[in-house]
Amino acid sequence: MKALVTGITGFAGSHLAEYLLRQNVEVYGTVRSGSRLDNIRGIRQDIRLAECELRDPVSVDRLVKALRPDLIFHLGAQSSVPASWSAPLETIQNNIAGQINLMEAVRRHGLDCKMQIACSSEAYGAIWPHEAPIKETNPLRPLSPYAVSKVTQEFLGGQYFRSCGLHIVATRAFNHIGPRQSEKFVASSFARQIARIEKGDMPPVLRVGNLDAKRDFTDVRDVVRAYWLALEYGEPGEIYNIASGTCRPIREILQLLLASSRAAIQVEQDPGLLRPADAETLVGDSSKFYRRTGWKPEIPLTQSLKDLLDFWRAQP
Ligand code: GDD
């Protein structure tokens, strides 16, 4: 069985590739010219990479036609919420074009393939306290261009399922963490700063943004297992929350990480890290996915944070 992973060089993409290899799936991934391959260094010999610009219909068409994958995991996207405010148009164009180009290629070449679309809990945006934990049926009130791009990806997936009969399953993952995550994201930013402070590479002042936000964290290795199960057992045309069901203030993530270090560290809020709008609380109900697949997260948060901190400590 052949799987195509877009975004394979990214955080979740690299963990998904490792998981797929363990399922004895042939793994192919898209890369852009100049993509950093650090995240897939350990599996470089076991996977095949194809240069492909997802925004370019010709590039995507050529790849899909030649490869004829059985499974597509579409993770490649501009994934940072703050970056979507600095580059709203690019975020929307990038995330939507990639998805359309893939679906069009699958449709045009009549592929019998299953496709997962990595969407996001950010789609829910502004939720009311009585709505938590959030079910898939909750109204969507996106708060950022990134969130709108992900809602659009879901809608497009649903449309191609209904109008063209494509086997598309959308996953709304809540926050995920673990080794190899970019320091653009909160837990990884904190862990990297702690590791750098420990090495004496920066002054002992850790910069943070909004510590009052509450998020639902799952280990990336549990999340990619969910992506696989979404295509194994998920119903086409459906959307599934991937969440732990527990939410924690960002302040608690910071405290847990600080408690793992012996360094004396001061914490300072950096106004530049505050966002124009930030969902207060995002906690998901993934019982719909559990009923369909039996998926539950297995890796405890403390383990994910430890692995993340160890990852940064091991960086040169
Ligand atoms: N990045 C960052 N850096 N966020 C901070 C910081 C900081 O120093 N301090 C506090 N935060 C808060 C943010 O304001 C937000 O409320 C929360 O921490 C999580 O921020 P991120 O880790 O950047 O993740 P995100 O929730 O914006 O988006 C991530 O999760 C989504 C799934 O819910 C990304 O991985 C998205 O691609 C993904 O869809």
Side-chain angles (χ1 to χ4, degrees):
M1 192 185 310
K2 283 192 269 190
L4 175 64
V5 180
T6 70
I8 196 165
T9 58
F11 165 55
S14 65
H15 284 281
L16 176 62
E18 288 174 0
Y19 184 83
L20 293 172
L21 289 171
R22 291 199 294 276
Q23 310 306 311
N24 293 319
V25 171
E26 275 178 66
V27 179
Y28 295 78
T30 60
V31 287
R32 287 196 280 193
S33 68
S35 289
R36 295 191 60 167
L37 304 182
D38 305 14
N39 288 341
I40 49 172
R41 206 184 305 130
I43 51 168
R44 183 62 197 87
Q45 303 309 314
D46 308 315
I47 59 175
R48 277 175 238 177
L49 299 179
E51 209 167 288
C52 176
E53 169 52 68
L54 292 173
R55 285 172 297 190
D56 172 15
V58 177
S59 177
V60 174
D61 190 83
R62 197 181 299 133
L63 174 66
V64 169
K65 184 180 174 194
L67 184 61
R68 301 191 73 85
D70 303 293
L71 306 174
I72 298 178
F73 295 91
H74 180 38
L75 275 55
Q78 193 299 91
S79 62
S80 157
V81 173
S84 80
W85 274 294
S86 10
L89 185 60
E90 204 185 328
T91 300
I92 301 266
Q93 281 175 337
N94 184 75
N95 293 1
I96 292 169
Q99 163 116 18
I100 291 184
N101 290 337
L102 275 169
M103 293 187 305
E104 273 297 295
V106 170
R107 182 189 68 78
R108 195 173 304 118
H109 300 295
L111 257 62
D112 179 16
C113 100
K114 296 180 178 180
M115 181 167 169
Q116 174 256 356
I117 311 170
C119 295
S120 168
S121 58
E122 281 292 304
Y124 297 114
I127 65 155
W128 296 103
H130 70 270
E131 293 173 324
I134 321 164
K135 283 192 177 356
E136 289 83 351
T137 46
N138 211 74
L140 305 179
R141 307 179 195 104
L143 286 168
S144 67
Y146 167 78
V148 171
S149 78
K150 288 288 154 182
V151 171
T152 311
Q153 283 189 246
E154 288 182 6
F155 270 93
L156 281 166
Q159 181 245 308
Y160 272 73
F161 162 72
R162 286 186 296 274
S163 340
C164 313
L166 263 55
H167 184 125
I168 291 180
V169 180
T171 46
R172 273 186 201 143
F174 285 63
N175 295 61
H176 31 301
I177 53 172
R180 306 203 285 262
Q181 187 170 32
S182 155
E183 72 270 21
K184 284 188 286 191
F185 303 102
V186 67
S188 205
S189 165
F190 296 170
R192 178 171 182 258
Q193 292 182 71
I194 291 172
R196 291 190 65 212
I197 291 168
E198 286 174 343
K199 287 182 201 158
D201 287 350
M202 65 178 263
V205 183
L206 195 151
R207 306 215 163 268
V208 302
N210 173 18
L211 296 182
D212 296 325
K214 297 192 183 85
R215 291 291 182 273
D216 178 332
F217 290 94
T218 301
D219 192 283
V220 65
R221 293 157 288 196
D222 280 324
V223 171
V224 300
R225 182 166 51 86
Y227 290 170
W228 163 259
L229 292 173
L231 288 194
E232 280 282 285
Y233 304 115
E235 201 178 325
E238 286 296 319
I239 297 174
Y240 297 98
N241 280 345
I242 310 295
S244 77
T246 305
C247 79
R248 314 202 181 231
I250 300 301
R251 188 180 308 282
E252 190 182 326
I253 301 296
L254 175 64
Q255 280 157 359
L256 287 168
L257 283 166
L258 285 174
S260 314
S261 178
R262 288 212 200 110
I265 298 176
Q266 242 178 285
V267 174
E268 245 176 44
Q269 192 171 64
D270 178 349
L273 292 170
L274 300 175
R275 303 174 179 189
D278 201 12
E280 257 175 55
T281 302
L282 288 176
V283 56
D285 176 333
S286 56
S287 53
K288 176 179 167 186
F289 192 60
Y290 173 73
R291 283 195 301 276
R292 189 82 195 178
T293 67
W295 178 87
K296 269 186 184 175
E298 288 167 359
I299 304 174
L301 178 70
T302 46
Q303 184 68 48
S304 312
L305 293 176
K306 180 184 179 304
D307 293 348
L308 177 59
L309 193 51
D310 287 346
F311 165 76
W312 282 116
R313 283 174 172 151
Q315 297 307 300

